[in-house]
Amino acid sequence: MTGEPLIDIRDLTFSYPDGTRALSGLTVSIHAGQRVGLVGPNGAGKSTLLLHLGGMLSGTGSIRVAGSPMDRSHLRAIRAAVGLVFQNPDDQLFCPTVAEDLAFGPRNMKLDEHEVRHRVTAALAAVGLADRGGKSPFHLSFGERKRAAIATVLTMRPQAIVLDEPTSNLDPRGRREIIALLERLGGTQVVATHDLELVRQLCGRVLVLSGGRLVADGPPGEVLADESFLLAHGLA
Amino acid sequence: MHVPARSLSQDDSLVHRLDARAKLAALLGLVIICVSTPPGRWGAFVFYAVFLLAVAALSRVSPHHLLKRLLAVLPFVVLVAVFLPFMPGQPRVAVGPLSLSRGGLAMFATISTKGLIAVGAVVLLSATTPAAELLAGLARLRVPAIFVMLLAVTWRYLWLLADEARRMKRAAVARGFTGRWLWHARTVGRMIGALFLRSHQRGERVYLAMAARGFDGRAVGVPPARLRGGDLLFAAGSLALLIACRAVLP
Ligand SMILES: Nc1ncnc2c1ncn2[C@@H]1O[C@H](COP(=O)(O)OP(=O)(O)OP(=O)(O)O)[C@@H](O)[C@H]1O
Ligand SMILES: [Mg+2]
């Protein structure tokens, strides 16, 4: 692929304060428009990597998003460019109504109220919750909350959406709805997941993390076909 | 989840290895003795401080660590006493442009000193004793099991709550929240509201899960454990010393 990557990670290494090495020497670049699956066993470092993309954690090495280095002066712009959707929707939703939660990001971006409302309506429709804007997030089903959480970053119109286990704990229909939603949304997406079927269905590229290292990077058709490789990294 | 296994301490020392009961007796003893010492007995207060510093030195917990905890609590102690010097009444002393009550000033000094020593003792206790041992120690000292259990549950869920609050804040920060300005108070208020609701719901779920495992409101005790000679010596020696000082020193 040509041109500058949207997300460029070089030699990223990170240890938690208690000494746990979660990422070691990771180098990956992701171009605009790619939908990338991020897989790996529990504790592989997927969530840790996603937190780095949102500038929530910072390890050694370099991360550039849309050409800007991840530093204090670019953090605001990068957080607007990378829409981070956390695994637990309850972490993301805290406002009295779903609509207000969707307005939270754009208001932080200092958009005018008219534009904010326009985006909220559009995002609610995009995730199939058009009639739920006035409800309390506490009264939504888990699947609806998962979709509402995705909508909270859609209103920011990010350049990339980064999702942590979007289909975990969902029933088969809820899962299908999320997959259809991601497919419909398009754009640049990074999806950390244990759902290999989702990766096969949606992603043109898959990254396999294991013990904080990148152990495979390629089309799912090839990477996920190797049974012994999957077994070796706890994926089968 | 993020409950630190060894509470605030990673180190090992003579003080760490003492039985929790011995430390509870000596350090809580110090708190009671110090707080009940009449104002103006500066000789005794100095001795309490020296005693505390000696135990702290023995424990080899980094002074930086202790100081940080102390400074976190101290403002609350000082806040209680800070208005005392402004009380009406004679005689008065002039400090710069202020006219302060001498009696109020003395009370301020006494309360701050007592607060400092008491908080210091508790900080040292928690820095050298894992939470689980402290709780077991309390139970073995015949503190009613239901109180110990309440403390244990509070400790466990405080960490869970802190963890939840941290993740919630992180999710907001990812959407451009900075939380620096006064008008962000509304957002913070909502987060606290959401946390409260969830804690309440969780409390009910936890209770159901406990009931499902046969909990009927009566907490179970901890198995007894024998005190070693060193523990007894430390507790008895410390208490005797402190009581003697409270009685004798000016
Ligand atoms: N706050 C933390 N403090 C210390 N270590 C942590 C913390 N969070 C994660 N880790 C450790 O970092 C490593 C990577 O964790 P991470 O959560 O990134 O894995 P993951 O790939 O997202 O796993 P899962 O599939 O279970 O979500 C693990 O070994 C984990 O124990
Ligand atoms: Mg994870």
Side-chain angles (χ1 to χ4, degrees):
Chain A
M1 210 164 277
T2 53
E4 194 175 7
L6 181 58
I7 297 171
D8 193 30
I9 301 167
R10 266 164 221 263
D11 207 23
L12 179 63
T13 296
F14 177 79
S15 302
Y16 280 99
D18 68 354
T20 310
R21 170 71 65 92
L23 298 171
S24 344
L26 204 74
T27 298
V28 169
S29 50
I30 293 169
H31 286 262
Q34 285 188 334
R35 197 186 277 121
V36 180
L38 180 61
V39 304
N42 290 131
K46 302 182 295 293
S47 300
T48 306
L49 177 58
L50 298 194
L51 288 172
H52 276 83
L53 294 182
M56 306 286 135
L57 296 175
S58 59
T60 61
S62 89
I63 302 179
R64 300 175 78 86
V65 175
S68 305
M70 186 75 79
D71 57 27
R72 276 185 80 87
S73 59
H74 294 98
L75 210 52
R76 232 183 144 66
I78 288 179
R79 283 182 181 153
V82 177
L84 208 52
V85 183
F86 291 78
Q87 176 174 358
N88 185 350
D90 292 336
D91 292 342
Q92 204 133 358
L93 305 169
F94 64 89
C95 291
T97 69
V98 176
E100 284 196 61
D101 234 314
L102 266 58
F104 179 70
R107 285 198 181 125
N108 285 329
M109 296 164 74
K110 309 269 186 293
L111 297 177
D112 73 69
E113 206 44 40
H114 181 75
E115 172 69 11
V116 171
R117 252 176 268 140
H118 170 68
R119 287 188 179 195
V120 168
T121 313
L124 281 171
V127 301
L129 294 175
D131 57 343
R132 297 287 203 285
K135 280 191 89 162
S136 158
F138 289 109
H139 296 148
L140 296 185
S141 76
F142 188 74
E144 289 170 332
R145 268 181 284 159
K146 280 279 219 194
R147 280 184 282 143
I150 295 175
T152 64
V153 308
L154 292 183
T155 50
M156 299 175 77
R157 308 262 162 95
Q159 288 178 265
I161 307 178
V162 172
L163 306 104
D164 201 351
E165 312 206 8
T167 57
S168 65
N169 300 321
L170 288 176
D171 66 16
R173 188 182 51 174
R175 175 178 166 274
R176 272 200 309 278
E177 279 170 353
I178 293 281
I179 292 178
L181 173 61
L182 294 181
E183 179 146 44
R184 220 166 41 238
L185 290 174
T188 315
Q189 297 176 359
V190 180
V191 189
T193 187
H194 293 291
D195 187 343
L196 299 188
E197 215 33 64
L198 174 153
V199 175
R200 288 196 183 95
Q201 220 171 311
L202 287 184
C203 301
R205 178 181 176 197
V206 59
L207 308 173
V208 183
L209 270 187
S210 184
R213 289 172 195 285
L214 186 65
V215 293
D217 177 358
E222 291 167 21
V223 174
L224 303 181
D226 183 348
E227 196 70 22
S228 61
F229 172 80
L230 293 184
L231 269 176
H233 294 291
L235 292 169
Chain B
M1 207 165 266
H2 285 271
V3 184
R6 292 222 64 184
S7 84
L8 304 169
S9 61
Q10 301 93 11
D11 317 303
D12 192 26
S13 76
L14 226 59
V15 181
H16 287 81
R17 266 174 274 143
L18 281 171
D19 190 283
R21 280 169 290 182
K23 284 183 273 188
L24 274 166
L27 290 170
L28 293 187
L30 169 61
V31 171
I32 293 166
I33 290 167
C34 169
V35 168
S36 68
T37 302
R41 299 273 299 278
W42 293 107
F45 289 123
V46 168
F47 178 81
Y48 302 150
V50 169
F51 172 82
L52 203 55
L53 286 174
V55 180
L58 265 179
S59 78
R60 296 200 310 228
V61 178
S62 85
H64 174 77
H65 179 101
L66 291 177
L67 219 57
K68 222 172 58 186
R69 308 265 156 199
L70 200 58
L71 288 179
V73 190
L74 212 56
F76 298 99
V77 177
V78 174
L79 199 67
V80 172
V82 77
F83 297 106
L84 289 172
F86 298 98
M87 286 194 315
Q90 302 295 333
R92 304 196 72 81
V93 281
V95 178
L98 301 173
S99 163
L100 303 176
S101 141
R102 185 180 292 275
L105 216 51
M107 247 155 92
F108 171 73
T110 306
I111 291 182
S112 300
T113 307
K114 286 182 176 182
L116 188 66
I117 292 172
V119 173
V122 173
V123 166
L124 189 59
L125 180 62
S126 69
T128 56
T129 321
E133 272 177 37
L134 262 183
L135 292 166
L138 284 173
R140 290 183 184 128
L141 285 173
R142 303 261 142 65
V143 172
I146 191 72
F147 287 122
V148 177
M149 184 164 165
L150 262 173
L151 273 177
V153 171
T154 307
W155 168 258
R156 168 81 177 80
Y157 285 99
L158 266 183
W159 285 97
L160 215 65
L161 198 67
D163 202 54
E164 216 160 279
R166 220 193 52 229
R167 285 194 323 235
M168 203 179 232
K169 164 127 190 288
R170 193 154 72 183
V173 166
R175 286 190 278 157
F177 179 64
T178 50
R180 240 177 264 136
W181 310 102
L182 195 58
W183 58 84
H184 288 147
R186 203 166 80 117
T187 301
V188 175
R190 284 180 171 175
M191 284 184 191
I192 292 172
L195 270 175
F196 183 81
L197 254 167
R198 271 153 63 184
S199 305
H200 178 75
Q201 287 168 350
R202 167 175 295 145
E204 300 199 325
R205 287 198 305 272
V206 168
Y207 173 73
L208 288 179
M210 287 165 78
R213 283 179 288 162
F215 178 67
D216 61 358
R218 272 174 307 174
V220 283
V222 290
R226 280 182 62 97
L227 280 172
R228 288 156 300 182
D231 298 320
L232 282 172
L233 193 67
F234 175 77
S238 304
L239 286 175
L241 201 59
L242 290 165
I243 291 171
C245 286
R246 173 160 173 342
V248 172
L249 285 179

